[in-house]
Amino acid sequence: MHQLIAELYPICRSITGDGFRQTMEILRRHIPLKIHEVPSGTRVFDWTVPKEWNIRDAYVKNAKGEKIVDFQKSNLHVLNYSIPIKMQVDLGNLKKHLFTLPDHPEWIPYRTSYYKEDWGFCLSHRQFLTLEEGKYEVIIDSTLENGFLTYGELFLGGEKEEEILISAHACHPSLANDNLSGISLATMLAKHLETVTRRFSYRFLFIPGTIGAIIWLCLNEASLSRIKNGLVITGVGDSGDITYKKSRRGDAEIDRAACHVLIQSARPGRILEFSPYGYDERQFCSPGFNLPIGRFSRTPYGEYPEYHTSADNLEFVYPEYLTDSYLKVRSIIDVLENNRVYLNQNQKCEPQLGKRGLYSSIGTNEIALLWVLNLSDGSHSLLDIAERSGFQFKAIKEAADMLLKACLLVEQ
Amino acid sequence: MHQLIAELYPICRSITGDGFRQTMEILRRHIPLKIHEVPSGTRVFDWTVPKEWNIRDAYVKNAKGEKIVDFQKSNLHVLNYSIPIKMQVDLGNLKKHLFTLPDHPEWIPYRTSYYKEDWGFCLSHRQFLTLEEGKYEVIIDSTLENGFLTYGELFLGGEKEEEILISAHACHPSLANDNLSGISLATMLAKHLETVTRRFSYRFLFIPGTIGAIIWLCLNEASLSRIKNGLVITGVGDSGDITYKKSRRGDAEIDRAACHVLIQSARPGRILEFSPYGYDERQFCSPGFNLPIGRFSRTPYGEYPEYHTSADNLEFVYPEYLTDSYLKVRSIIDVLENNRVYLNQNQKCEPQLGKRGLYSSIGTNEIALLWVLNLSDGSHSLLDIAERSGFQFKAIKEAADMLLKACLLVEQ
Amino acid sequence: MHQLIAELYPICRSITGDGFRQTMEILRRHIPLKIHEVPSGTRVFDWTVPKEWNIRDAYVKNAKGEKIVDFQKSNLHVLNYSIPIKMQVDLGNLKKHLFTLPDHPEWIPYRTSYYKEDWGFCLSHRQFLTLEEGKYEVIIDSTLENGFLTYGELFLGGEKEEEILISAHACHPSLANDNLSGISLATMLAKHLETVTRRFSYRFLFIPGTIGAIIWLCLNEASLSRIKNGLVITGVGDSGDITYKKSRRGDAEIDRAACHVLIQSARPGRILEFSPYGYDERQFCSPGFNLPIGRFSRTPYGEYPEYHTSADNLEFVYPEYLTDSYLKVRSIIDVLENNRVYLNQNQKCEPQLGKRGLYSSIGTNEIALLWVLNLSDGSHSLLDIAERSGFQFKAIKEAADMLLKACLLVEQ
């Protein structure tokens, strides 16, 4: 996963344009993404698809002709969605278009202006302080024209029509954790799920933040009832605790599955109640849809200073934390895939486990067997049983499998 | 408010009589109270309106002819509702009618005997200990005769017929916190509400404790369904924490509004579950009525030693705490007046706040806007939204007002 | 109770056989138990009644002819349900049939093999270590033949057909706490209940563990709906905290009554959620029955090392803890017997307690009166009122009795 992040890192992405397309092409080497192109000006609910933005180069030259700020060195140097500009300005006017982080003087901030036409440059505060009076040449060789907004989608059919939606925003330029980590995890997850038997269908979205989710919801409104569970995946490579933010419903199956996995982990992780600010769960969980979709991340965006700066780089994401995040998402999906309701076929008193070879000496497994038998009355799923018993879902699932083999359970 | 308390303080009030009437007349200088007179002997549910009690003078003279206990110095000296008496007694017999507080030897206790004919004097334990053997002359120049029980009522109509009831007991003589503070707060609140637009109607009661509430409930039984919320106000001038006692329902709107205001305060205050002992909430929350009425006070009656003694005097109530109590009650009423259910007009995805000028940079206000939009689905009131979001009701209300102006909300 | 335990202690009981019958005969000196005999081979749900086991003698002799392990000294020395055996074995083969407790080298373990034919001896690990190479003579003079399984049952009719079930397992040999203490407590409780007026009917079961409960449930399936509440009683003589394990329902009246009694105790005790492992609550609370039956014990079986060893002897159970357990069970039954729903006859405002002599000075009792009046609206039982008010059930019951006498309440 870290390798894929590294490959995607240099590309200048935005909510539209060739950087986004190039990103999708790289993902298509791993998974058969379908690419959608939505024309500028398309109305989607209360929003309008913006013009397409592309950029080739941008810099600021000082009076000596030295490029002191250079898009080629870091695409964060340009205010994302800057209109084309070519002018001479004095320092005073230039400063109105410069963005820095005084609290982190070595870092370049990441700034955007999608819906208000503007231009600007981002640079380290240390460098900003060295700028001398004088004339500066400013070049932004960009275009902002009618075109298309691009997004990628992958559908993997399963035994059931019901879908699990996995969504990652893919509109940020050279930012490794937010959200190349999420893109990479979702890609590897899709690659894995392609190869296995799936009870549910899966749909993966690689979309520009906000507008991408709004477009997708608008275009797919008629079939949203198929979405049974889902995750917005973002910021999964840093060293912080895993953090799950509940869906607006608060008690959806995805919420319970994610909480179970986090609580049962060696390093338990944090669980946040729903709030209407954040990533694309804002749209998925808007009241008109109220989809059962939560957010899976490590440290939440507001809580690490590297967020939306040049310090969210390849050193900020760690292979071991990417792997840990990936395995936790797999565990959550395992819960969803295996969460069934069984019926104990001997509900009056315990069945005699001994004569079926299921009762050696009383250890953990036997007690899991008893829990599954006792609660498999038609109103408890395996996740219900895991929650009530305190056992891991895995142990309850294994107990259910043994009882199924012994014909003591049938699926409801 | 402290000034009104000081004016009312010297009057010898009881559950009936001229002291109560005089008190109502003073309040009528501020608010247009309607005075009710209920004849002695009237049956009200399980109770009977008692005879009217009036007192002109009372004292105990020692053998030297010195007035050692004198009603003119403090009306607490006489057992409230003492029958007329004029007799010589020796010290032994006198002592059977004397009440003191050995634990607080400087204080005079406040005692009553409304429903059992008796007489007595209250004095400091310090003085009690100095009483010498000998004859004492005892005079209580009171009357206990058929007459009337008096109470005051003020109705302020609003846009809705639904009423908010504010009740204060007004039967205690020279006790400043219990309950001249409550009378004074309720008077000033009524004066304020008279001058403003009211969504709800308001009804203020200044009544003798217990019997007054029973009378009012009995006489107004047919229209009690109009009472949507209410507060019993008492003991609001001491320096203790504000204490809200929930209605018997426990989750009435008044309970939630008061809890919200207290929890969000800089000095949060205490919340008590309902119990069937206390002030007139006992009657309002009797099971046959179960009205949504809580109790608003500062230190509860059982928890300060000055309660029902001469130490509950003008020094015990502070202008700043009276003001704080008044403002908290106003805040609670603001919640009730403004707690509406709105419908987000763009429930599918977020509306684009930027194009409406509602989205500057993400600060507190914008997140309040998002909470109001996300939860205004027809099943959440603004108080629900404040509770779930953790924002103050005021901030949620302001956010709703901005969204209303932008036509993004309509009232349900 | 300790005396009865001492009398029963030497008998070699098992899930069938004369030891069990002899035990029932001793109990019949105290209470008129009805004895049931169920033939071997009877099918009961998923189980079959096993052959009857009886034993007269058993020993291991060393080469010198010394009885080194002797059933006559402790019936725990024989693996319970050992088949008859008479053979010479060398030490190596003997050891395959010996059971010890290395962690407690002085104690003899208690082991059984009901459903797999086997033989063996249990001895102290200290002795085990002294065994020398050589020939050993092994004698188990037992029989395992078609016969009967025995259990005792006592029914005490009450005003209502609804039953409270008290069950104790009686299949363990010389183990004092598990479960002679439970047998003894249940016997004394039955003896007491015989002599008093009973609102409910009571049914006492003295049964072999697991198979006994399964048999009884199978034979009485048609009338199980009469069981309104019940307790499995076991391990009630040790010095640990009282521990109540909730029924599968979790909020049955027995659960609430037991929790109330434990929480209100001077030494509060522990409350465990239901789990499907344990004693006969496993069968009573199997999903097909889901009876409102909890488990009453002191230290739970898994938590004291003496459990199922020779150290669970007459010194391990204390008269004072037996008495404490007995009184707590009595208190729980008192709650059940007296938990009624009353209707306040003056629901509109408080009734005037003073004129009925119920209102002296405000103390604990008066507040209990007010709680009963306030909540006796037809939807709260006395236990509901005790729980909400924080008063002991006893105080609430006494308050209700006073109000009944004053005609202020009637039973619903």
Side-chain angles (χ1 to χ4, degrees), chain C residues 197-230:
Chain C
T197 307
R198 296 174 295 273
R199 184 158 158 244
F200 294 107
S201 300
Y202 288 81
R203 191 174 297 274
F204 288 81
L205 300 181
F206 299 87
I207 51 179
T210 305
I211 186 69
I214 293 168
I215 288 168
W216 186 84
L217 286 163
C218 191
L219 299 180
N220 295 277
E221 195 178 346
S223 51
L224 294 180
S225 63
R226 283 191 208 138
I227 296 178
K228 191 184 159 70
N229 284 298

Short mmCIF file of all heavy atoms in Angstrom, two decimals, chain C residues 197-230:
data_model
loop_
_atom_site.label_atom_id
_atom_site.label_comp_id
_atom_site.label_asym_id
_atom_site.label_seq_id
_atom_site.Cartn_x
_atom_site.Cartn_y
_atom_site.Cartn_z
N THR C 197 -49.18 -18.29 55.55
CA THR C 197 -50.09 -18.01 54.46
C THR C 197 -49.27 -17.64 53.24
O THR C 197 -48.38 -16.79 53.32
CB THR C 197 -51.01 -16.82 54.81
OG1 THR C 197 -51.61 -17.11 56.07
CG2 THR C 197 -52.07 -16.61 53.75
N ARG C 198 -49.59 -18.29 52.13
CA ARG C 198 -48.80 -18.07 50.92
C ARG C 198 -49.67 -17.43 49.84
O ARG C 198 -50.73 -17.97 49.51
CB ARG C 198 -48.27 -19.41 50.39
CG ARG C 198 -47.30 -20.10 51.33
CD ARG C 198 -46.93 -21.48 50.82
NE ARG C 198 -48.07 -22.39 50.79
CZ ARG C 198 -48.47 -23.13 51.82
NH1 ARG C 198 -47.83 -23.09 52.99
NH2 ARG C 198 -49.52 -23.91 51.70
N ARG C 199 -49.23 -16.31 49.33
CA ARG C 199 -49.95 -15.73 48.20
C ARG C 199 -49.71 -16.57 46.95
O ARG C 199 -50.65 -16.91 46.23
CB ARG C 199 -49.46 -14.29 47.97
CG ARG C 199 -50.20 -13.55 46.91
CD ARG C 199 -50.03 -12.03 47.12
NE ARG C 199 -50.25 -11.30 45.90
CZ ARG C 199 -49.33 -10.58 45.27
NH1 ARG C 199 -48.12 -10.46 45.78
NH2 ARG C 199 -49.62 -9.95 44.16
N PHE C 200 -48.47 -16.94 46.73
CA PHE C 200 -48.15 -17.79 45.58
C PHE C 200 -48.01 -19.24 46.02
O PHE C 200 -47.80 -19.53 47.21
CB PHE C 200 -46.83 -17.32 44.94
CG PHE C 200 -46.95 -15.97 44.33
CD1 PHE C 200 -46.35 -14.88 44.93
CD2 PHE C 200 -47.70 -15.77 43.17
CE1 PHE C 200 -46.49 -13.60 44.38
CE2 PHE C 200 -47.84 -14.50 42.63
CZ PHE C 200 -47.23 -13.42 43.23
N SER C 201 -48.09 -20.15 45.06
CA SER C 201 -47.74 -21.54 45.29
C SER C 201 -46.22 -21.68 45.16
O SER C 201 -45.57 -20.88 44.48
CB SER C 201 -48.45 -22.43 44.27
OG SER C 201 -49.86 -22.28 44.42
N TYR C 202 -45.69 -22.71 45.82
CA TYR C 202 -44.25 -22.93 45.80
C TYR C 202 -43.98 -24.36 45.39
O TYR C 202 -44.72 -25.27 45.78
CB TYR C 202 -43.64 -22.67 47.19
CG TYR C 202 -43.62 -21.20 47.50
CD1 TYR C 202 -44.76 -20.55 47.97
CD2 TYR C 202 -42.48 -20.44 47.26
CE1 TYR C 202 -44.75 -19.19 48.20
CE2 TYR C 202 -42.46 -19.07 47.49
CZ TYR C 202 -43.61 -18.45 47.96
OH TYR C 202 -43.60 -17.11 48.18
N ARG C 203 -42.93 -24.54 44.62
CA ARG C 203 -42.52 -25.88 44.21
C ARG C 203 -41.02 -26.00 44.48
O ARG C 203 -40.23 -25.18 44.01
CB ARG C 203 -42.83 -26.10 42.73
CG ARG C 203 -42.67 -27.53 42.28
CD ARG C 203 -43.13 -27.73 40.83
NE ARG C 203 -44.54 -27.45 40.66
CZ ARG C 203 -45.53 -28.34 40.86
NH1 ARG C 203 -45.24 -29.56 41.27
NH2 ARG C 203 -46.78 -27.99 40.67
N PHE C 204 -40.65 -27.02 45.27
CA PHE C 204 -39.26 -27.27 45.58
C PHE C 204 -38.79 -28.50 44.83
O PHE C 204 -39.46 -29.53 44.84
CB PHE C 204 -39.08 -27.49 47.09
CG PHE C 204 -39.22 -26.23 47.88
CD1 PHE C 204 -40.49 -25.73 48.20
CD2 PHE C 204 -38.11 -25.53 48.30
CE1 PHE C 204 -40.62 -24.55 48.92
CE2 PHE C 204 -38.24 -24.35 49.02
CZ PHE C 204 -39.50 -23.85 49.33
N LEU C 205 -37.63 -28.39 44.21
CA LEU C 205 -37.04 -29.53 43.50
C LEU C 205 -35.69 -29.86 44.11
O LEU C 205 -34.85 -28.97 44.30
CB LEU C 205 -36.85 -29.21 42.02
CG LEU C 205 -38.08 -28.86 41.20
CD1 LEU C 205 -37.68 -28.58 39.75
CD2 LEU C 205 -39.11 -29.98 41.27
N PHE C 206 -35.49 -31.16 44.44
CA PHE C 206 -34.18 -31.66 44.85
C PHE C 206 -33.81 -32.70 43.80
O PHE C 206 -34.37 -33.81 43.79
CB PHE C 206 -34.26 -32.28 46.26
CG PHE C 206 -34.67 -31.27 47.30
CD1 PHE C 206 -36.02 -31.04 47.58
CD2 PHE C 206 -33.71 -30.54 47.99
CE1 PHE C 206 -36.40 -30.10 48.53
CE2 PHE C 206 -34.09 -29.60 48.95
CZ PHE C 206 -35.44 -29.38 49.22
N ILE C 207 -32.94 -32.31 42.89
CA ILE C 207 -32.75 -33.08 41.67
C ILE C 207 -31.28 -33.28 41.37
O ILE C 207 -30.43 -32.49 41.81
CB ILE C 207 -33.38 -32.33 40.46
CG1 ILE C 207 -32.90 -30.87 40.42
CG2 ILE C 207 -34.89 -32.40 40.52
CD1 ILE C 207 -33.44 -30.06 39.26
N PRO C 208 -30.95 -34.34 40.63
CA PRO C 208 -29.59 -34.43 40.13
C PRO C 208 -29.33 -33.32 39.10
O PRO C 208 -30.23 -32.98 38.32
CB PRO C 208 -29.53 -35.81 39.47
CG PRO C 208 -30.94 -36.25 39.29
CD PRO C 208 -31.77 -35.52 40.28
N GLY C 209 -28.14 -32.75 39.13
CA GLY C 209 -27.81 -31.64 38.22
C GLY C 209 -27.98 -32.01 36.78
O GLY C 209 -27.84 -33.18 36.39
N THR C 210 -28.30 -31.06 35.94
CA THR C 210 -28.47 -31.19 34.49
C THR C 210 -29.59 -32.19 34.15
O THR C 210 -30.69 -31.76 33.82
CB THR C 210 -27.16 -31.59 33.78
OG1 THR C 210 -26.17 -30.62 34.16
CG2 THR C 210 -27.30 -31.57 32.26
N ILE C 211 -29.30 -33.50 34.26
CA ILE C 211 -30.29 -34.50 33.82
C ILE C 211 -31.58 -34.38 34.62
O ILE C 211 -32.68 -34.56 34.08
CB ILE C 211 -29.68 -35.93 33.89
CG1 ILE C 211 -30.64 -36.97 33.30
CG2 ILE C 211 -29.29 -36.31 35.32
CD1 ILE C 211 -30.82 -36.86 31.82
N GLY C 212 -31.46 -34.03 35.91
CA GLY C 212 -32.66 -33.88 36.74
C GLY C 212 -33.52 -32.72 36.26
O GLY C 212 -34.75 -32.83 36.15
N ALA C 213 -32.88 -31.60 35.95
CA ALA C 213 -33.64 -30.45 35.47
C ALA C 213 -34.28 -30.77 34.12
O ALA C 213 -35.43 -30.40 33.85
CB ALA C 213 -32.71 -29.23 35.36
N ILE C 214 -33.52 -31.47 33.28
CA ILE C 214 -34.05 -31.82 31.95
C ILE C 214 -35.26 -32.74 32.08
O ILE C 214 -36.28 -32.56 31.42
CB ILE C 214 -32.93 -32.44 31.08
CG1 ILE C 214 -31.85 -31.37 30.79
CG2 ILE C 214 -33.49 -33.01 29.79
CD1 ILE C 214 -30.56 -31.91 30.19
N ILE C 215 -35.14 -33.74 32.97
CA ILE C 215 -36.27 -34.65 33.21
C ILE C 215 -37.48 -33.87 33.70
O ILE C 215 -38.60 -34.02 33.18
CB ILE C 215 -35.89 -35.73 34.25
CG1 ILE C 215 -34.91 -36.72 33.64
CG2 ILE C 215 -37.13 -36.44 34.79
CD1 ILE C 215 -34.25 -37.65 34.66
N TRP C 216 -37.26 -33.06 34.72
CA TRP C 216 -38.40 -32.36 35.31
C TRP C 216 -39.07 -31.45 34.28
O TRP C 216 -40.31 -31.40 34.17
CB TRP C 216 -37.99 -31.56 36.55
CG TRP C 216 -39.18 -30.97 37.21
CD1 TRP C 216 -40.02 -31.57 38.10
CD2 TRP C 216 -39.72 -29.66 36.97
NE1 TRP C 216 -41.04 -30.74 38.45
CE2 TRP C 216 -40.89 -29.56 37.77
CE3 TRP C 216 -39.35 -28.58 36.18
CZ2 TRP C 216 -41.68 -28.41 37.78
CZ3 TRP C 216 -40.13 -27.43 36.19
CH2 TRP C 216 -41.29 -27.36 36.99
N LEU C 217 -38.26 -30.74 33.48
CA LEU C 217 -38.83 -29.85 32.45
C LEU C 217 -39.60 -30.67 31.42
O LEU C 217 -40.67 -30.26 30.95
CB LEU C 217 -37.71 -29.04 31.77
CG LEU C 217 -37.15 -27.90 32.63
CD1 LEU C 217 -35.79 -27.43 32.09
CD2 LEU C 217 -38.12 -26.73 32.70
N CYS C 218 -39.07 -31.82 31.07
CA CYS C 218 -39.72 -32.65 30.05
C CYS C 218 -41.05 -33.19 30.58
O CYS C 218 -42.06 -33.16 29.87
CB CYS C 218 -38.78 -33.78 29.68
SG CYS C 218 -39.30 -34.69 28.23
N LEU C 219 -41.05 -33.63 31.83
CA LEU C 219 -42.28 -34.21 32.38
C LEU C 219 -43.34 -33.17 32.71
O LEU C 219 -44.51 -33.49 32.85
CB LEU C 219 -41.95 -35.01 33.66
CG LEU C 219 -40.98 -36.20 33.49
CD1 LEU C 219 -40.76 -36.90 34.83
CD2 LEU C 219 -41.54 -37.20 32.46
N ASN C 220 -42.91 -31.92 32.90
CA ASN C 220 -43.84 -30.89 33.35
C ASN C 220 -44.01 -29.77 32.33
O ASN C 220 -44.47 -28.67 32.67
CB ASN C 220 -43.34 -30.30 34.68
CG ASN C 220 -43.37 -31.34 35.79
OD1 ASN C 220 -44.40 -31.58 36.39
ND2 ASN C 220 -42.24 -32.00 36.01
N GLU C 221 -43.66 -30.05 31.09
CA GLU C 221 -43.66 -29.01 30.07
C GLU C 221 -45.01 -28.29 29.96
O GLU C 221 -45.07 -27.08 29.78
CB GLU C 221 -43.30 -29.64 28.72
CG GLU C 221 -42.92 -28.61 27.69
CD GLU C 221 -42.50 -29.24 26.37
OE1 GLU C 221 -42.26 -30.47 26.32
OE2 GLU C 221 -42.42 -28.48 25.39
N ALA C 222 -46.09 -29.07 30.13
CA ALA C 222 -47.42 -28.50 29.91
C ALA C 222 -47.78 -27.44 30.95
O ALA C 222 -48.61 -26.57 30.70
CB ALA C 222 -48.47 -29.60 29.91
N SER C 223 -47.16 -27.51 32.12
CA SER C 223 -47.59 -26.59 33.18
C SER C 223 -46.52 -25.56 33.55
O SER C 223 -46.60 -24.90 34.58
CB SER C 223 -48.01 -27.38 34.42
OG SER C 223 -47.00 -28.30 34.76
N LEU C 224 -45.53 -25.39 32.67
CA LEU C 224 -44.45 -24.45 32.99
C LEU C 224 -44.92 -23.00 33.02
O LEU C 224 -44.29 -22.16 33.66
CB LEU C 224 -43.31 -24.60 31.98
CG LEU C 224 -42.56 -25.94 32.02
CD1 LEU C 224 -41.45 -25.95 30.98
CD2 LEU C 224 -41.99 -26.21 33.41
N SER C 225 -46.02 -22.73 32.33
CA SER C 225 -46.47 -21.34 32.28
C SER C 225 -46.90 -20.84 33.66
O SER C 225 -47.04 -19.64 33.87
CB SER C 225 -47.62 -21.18 31.29
OG SER C 225 -48.71 -21.96 31.75
N ARG C 226 -47.09 -21.75 34.60
CA ARG C 226 -47.43 -21.33 35.97
C ARG C 226 -46.26 -20.73 36.72
O ARG C 226 -46.45 -20.10 37.75
CB ARG C 226 -47.92 -22.54 36.76
CG ARG C 226 -49.32 -22.96 36.44
CD ARG C 226 -49.80 -23.97 37.45
NE ARG C 226 -50.80 -24.82 36.83
CZ ARG C 226 -50.88 -26.12 36.98
NH1 ARG C 226 -50.02 -26.76 37.77
NH2 ARG C 226 -51.82 -26.80 36.37
N ILE C 227 -45.05 -21.01 36.22
CA ILE C 227 -43.87 -20.54 36.97
C ILE C 227 -43.67 -19.05 36.75
O ILE C 227 -43.35 -18.60 35.65
CB ILE C 227 -42.63 -21.34 36.57
CG1 ILE C 227 -42.84 -22.80 36.96
CG2 ILE C 227 -41.38 -20.78 37.26
CD1 ILE C 227 -41.72 -23.71 36.58
N LYS C 228 -43.86 -18.34 37.82
CA LYS C 228 -43.82 -16.88 37.73
C LYS C 228 -42.44 -16.36 38.09
O LYS C 228 -42.00 -15.32 37.60
CB LYS C 228 -44.85 -16.34 38.72
CG LYS C 228 -45.14 -14.86 38.60
CD LYS C 228 -46.10 -14.44 39.70
CE LYS C 228 -46.03 -12.95 39.95
NZ LYS C 228 -46.57 -12.16 38.85
N ASN C 229 -41.74 -17.08 38.97
CA ASN C 229 -40.42 -16.68 39.42
C ASN C 229 -39.74 -17.90 39.97
O ASN C 229 -40.42 -18.88 40.34
CB ASN C 229 -40.50 -15.62 40.53
CG ASN C 229 -40.84 -14.24 40.00
OD1 ASN C 229 -40.09 -13.68 39.20
ND2 ASN C 229 -41.98 -13.70 40.43
N GLY C 230 -38.42 -17.86 40.09
CA GLY C 230 -37.74 -19.01 40.68
C GLY C 230 -36.28 -18.73 40.95
O GLY C 230 -35.69 -17.76 40.47
#
